[in-house]
Amino acid sequence: MRREERFKHIIAWFQENMPVAETELKYTNPFELLVAVILSAQCTDKRVNMITPAVFDKWPTENELAEATPEEVFKVIRSCSYPNNKSKHLVGMAKMLRDDFKGEVPDDVKELQKLPGVGRKTANVIASVVYQKPAMAVDTHVFRVSERIGLTVKAKNPLDAEMQLVKYLPEELLPIAHHWLILHGRYVCLARKPKCEKCGLKPWCKYYLKNNAAKEV
C-alpha cells in the first residue's frame, strides 16, 4: 500500500470516528495552556490537571507568576515530573512573557521557542491549539503511533516525524491530526500492549498487518 493511500484511509477513519479531538489539558486562556503544556513534559495530562488549579489560583497571570520564586512554584508543582526544572522554567517564561511580549502569548513557533521551558513540541501545541496554525506537535504518542501504523517511516527523531507528517497531511487538518494521534496512542495504540482487537485502523496499520493478520487466516 502506498503511503498516500494509507494516509487517505486513516484520515477518513478519524474524520468519521473522531470528528472532535481536543487537548485533555484544562485551561481557559493561552497563558494557562502554556503553563499546562510546560508542566506536561513527561507527565500525564491527568496529573497536570490536578496541579494547575492551585497554580492558576495563586498566579492567575504572567504578572503574578513573574514575581514568584522558583522555590515557591516548586512547592505547588512538586507532584509533577522534574519540578525543579519546571519551576525555574515557569518563572522565567512568565518574566519573558511580561517583559518581552507584553503579556501576549506569541503565535509564531520560533518566537514561542524563545520562552524558557518551551521546545518545539510545546511551541507547536500552542500554535495549533490556541491559534489553529498548521503546526504538528510530535510527542511520544504521536512519534510511536505514526511509525507503528505507517504514517512515518524510520523517523530518526520527533522533528523528522513532524516533517514527514506535515508533508502528507492536508495543512488544514494538522491541528486536529495531532490530537487524533495522541488520543489514539493514549487509549488504543498503547506502547506495550496495543489494543489491536478494538482498533478501527487495522485494515491499514503496518504493525497489525505484519504481526496479527496472518494469525487470523
Side-chain angles (χ1 to χ4, degrees), residues 1 22 61 68 72 82 89 93 96 100-101 104 111 124 135 141 152 157 172 174 195-196 199 210:
M1 182 184 300
E22 302 171 329
T61 73
E72 290 174 321
Y82 305 105
H89 288 156
M93 175 275 291
M96 184 174 286
D100 297 353
F101 293 99
E104 294 291 328
E111 289 294 296
N124 280 334
H141 291 303
T152 59
N157 49 52
E172 69 275 10
L174 287 174
K195 300 178 181 179
C196 295
C199 179
K210 179 181 177 181

Side-chain angles (χ1 to χ4, degrees), residues 34 38 89 93 109 112-120 122-123 126:
L34 182 53
I38 289 173
H89 288 156
M93 175 275 291
V109 170
L112 281 160
Q113 289 182 82
K114 294 178 181 177
L115 295 165
V118 178
R120 188 174 180 87
T122 297
I126 300 301

Side-chain angles (χ1 to χ4, degrees), residues 2-217:
R2 294 173 63 247
R3 188 143 48 143
E4 291 87 348
E5 185 180 355
R6 176 171 282 110
F7 267 89
K8 179 181 177 181
H9 286 298
I10 289 173
I11 288 170
W13 186 88
F14 275 123
Q15 286 178 320
E16 181 176 350
N17 293 278
M18 203 186 294
V20 177
E22 302 171 329
T23 180
E24 293 184 313
L25 293 170
K26 295 178 181 178
Y27 70 99
T28 61
N29 57 54
F31 168 74
E32 289 187 356
L33 181 61
L34 182 53
V35 170
V37 178
I38 289 173
L39 287 171
S40 72
Q42 298 184 28
C43 187
T44 65
D45 286 2
K46 182 178 180 181
R47 169 60 58 183
V48 172
N49 288 335
M50 293 170 64
I51 296 169
T52 49
V55 175
F56 301 149
D57 182 62
K58 196 171 182 66
W59 305 290
T61 73
E62 71 283 349
N63 293 315
E64 291 84 5
L65 186 55
E67 296 301 320
T69 65
E71 291 75 22
E72 290 174 321
V73 176
F74 175 88
K75 293 177 182 178
V76 178
I77 70 166
R78 64 192 308 162
S79 63
C80 76
S81 58
Y82 305 105
N84 267 316
N85 286 336
K86 289 178 181 178
S87 60
K88 295 172 186 174
H89 288 156
L90 288 173
V91 173
M93 175 275 291
K95 287 180 177 178
M96 184 174 286
L97 198 61
R98 179 195 63 188
D99 299 340
D100 297 353
F101 293 99
K102 299 180 180 179
E104 294 291 328
V105 176
D107 62 359
D108 179 77
V109 170
K110 289 184 178 179
E111 289 294 296
L112 281 160
Q113 289 182 82
K114 294 178 181 177
L115 295 165
V118 178
R120 188 174 180 87
K121 186 213 79 172
T122 297
N124 280 334
V125 170
I126 300 301
S128 64
V129 173
V130 175
Y131 299 109
Q132 290 297 299
K133 292 291 188 75
M136 170 55 70
V138 177
D139 68 353
T140 54
H141 291 303
V142 174
F143 189 80
R144 179 184 72 255
V145 172
S146 298
E147 184 72 23
R148 187 177 275 171
I149 64 181
L151 297 182
T152 59
V153 178
K154 297 180 180 179
K156 302 178 183 68
N157 49 52
L159 180 58
D160 188 7
E162 177 189 334
M163 294 299 101
Q164 291 189 42
L165 291 169
V166 168
K167 179 179 178 181
Y168 288 95
L169 283 165
E171 186 175 281
E172 69 275 10
L173 293 181
L174 287 174
I176 193 172
H178 161 71
H179 298 300
W180 284 339
L181 295 170
I182 283 181
L183 295 173
H184 194 68
R186 189 172 289 165
Y187 298 111
V188 181
C189 196
L190 308 182
R192 294 186 178 179
K193 290 189 67 177
K195 300 178 181 179
C196 295
E197 70 283 355
K198 64 179 291 186
C199 179
L201 299 179
K202 287 188 290 187
W204 316 288
C205 175
K206 288 179 72 173
Y207 176 88
Y208 178 80
L209 294 173
K210 179 181 177 181
N211 295 285
N212 297 283
K215 300 176 184 177
E216 298 182 1
V217 177

